Amino acid sequence: MRIVVISDTHIPERAKELPPQLISALKEASLIVHAGDICEYWVVEELRSFAPIFAVQGNMDRADVKAKLKKEEVFEVAGQRIGLVHGWGPPWGIEERVGKVFESASLDVIIFGHTHQPLKKMIGDVLYFNPGSPTDTVFAPYFSYGVIDIADGMIQRAEIVRFE
């Protein structure tokens, strides 16, 4: 199973549409995970045209997006338990803050966004994964999204994909 992980698309503020590099990856996705700051709900519908989607609201999302999406989500896919939240506050300490959201859940992966800074980091037995932003480089030197491949109940690959 291939999961394409995105966050902080900020459409239409940062871009008018999803970038072509991301569209190519979405065509190969079994599942899409969006960690918030979608901004307009039609983006969720467009993503759903490629694959099933789990998405949460972010701090910059419009009222209709916030009305339709939860603040956090826990789901299981291909034998992996995943927590999904946007995140908040400054970049430093964000792993600790998002980790506390799920401290009572037994998770394999925590996916978050907010900082626009890609991160792939093991903390204990949990993979903390921030895909960065495919449309905004204000806090990162490149655009990015993530790919997580799961087979036989195990993560085979978790990668940040950079593009210019």
Side-chain angles (χ1 to χ4, degrees), residues 68-164:
K68 294 176 183 175
L69 300 177
K70 298 177 184 177
K71 289 185 179 180
E72 67 243 8
E73 184 93 46
V74 174
F75 57 95
E76 186 167 331
V77 61
Q80 295 287 299
R81 283 185 47 83
I82 299 172
L84 175 62
V85 65
H86 180 63
W88 66 95
W92 54 90
I94 193 164
E95 297 96 357
E96 183 178 325
R97 288 190 301 277
V98 300
K100 285 184 179 182
V101 170
F102 301 109
E103 65 188 352
S104 65
S106 177
L107 299 177
D108 300 297
V109 182
I110 294 176
I111 295 172
F112 63 100
H114 185 62
T115 65
H116 299 209
Q117 299 170 348
L119 175 82
K120 180 180 87 168
K121 179 179 182 181
M122 291 298 295
I123 299 177
D125 294 333
V126 179
L127 172 63
Y128 284 69
F129 196 81
N130 182 334
S133 173
T135 60
D136 188 22
T137 58
V138 70
F139 299 114
Y142 48 81
F143 300 112
S144 61
Y145 62 90
V147 175
I148 299 175
D149 289 329
I150 303 173
D152 301 320
M154 303 286 293
I155 294 175
Q156 304 297 317
R157 175 178 82 135
E159 178 183 346
I160 302 294
V161 179
R162 305 173 182 195
F163 63 97
E164 302 284 326

Side-chain angles (χ1 to χ4, degrees), residues 30-91:
S30 306
L31 178 70
I32 299 165
V33 175
H34 197 304
D37 278 0
I38 298 159
C39 291
E40 293 198 4
Y41 196 76
W42 65 263
V43 176
V44 173
E45 297 297 341
E46 181 175 347
L47 292 169
R48 192 172 282 130
S49 74
F50 293 99
I53 181 172
F54 283 99
V56 293
Q57 61 178 265
N59 58 295
M60 300 297 290
D61 286 324
R62 300 219 166 102
D64 65 321
V65 175
K66 289 181 178 181
K68 294 176 183 175
L69 300 177
K70 298 177 184 177
K71 289 185 179 180
E72 67 243 8
E73 184 93 46
V74 174
F75 57 95
E76 186 167 331
V77 61
Q80 295 287 299
R81 283 185 47 83
I82 299 172
L84 175 62
V85 65
H86 180 63
W88 66 95

Side-chain angles (χ1 to χ4, degrees), residues 1-50:
M1 166 170 276
R2 173 155 292 172
I3 303 171
V4 173
V5 183
I6 55 180
S7 187
D8 298 283
T9 46
H10 291 279
I11 293 173
E13 287 82 10
R14 299 289 186 209
K16 299 296 179 209
E17 58 190 21
L18 298 169
Q21 297 90 332
L22 179 58
I23 297 286
S24 293
L26 293 171
K27 291 177 180 176
E28 304 296 319
S30 306
L31 178 70
I32 299 165
V33 175
H34 197 304
D37 278 0
I38 298 159
C39 291
E40 293 198 4
Y41 196 76
W42 65 263
V43 176
V44 173
E45 297 297 341
E46 181 175 347
L47 292 169
R48 192 172 282 130
S49 74
F50 293 99

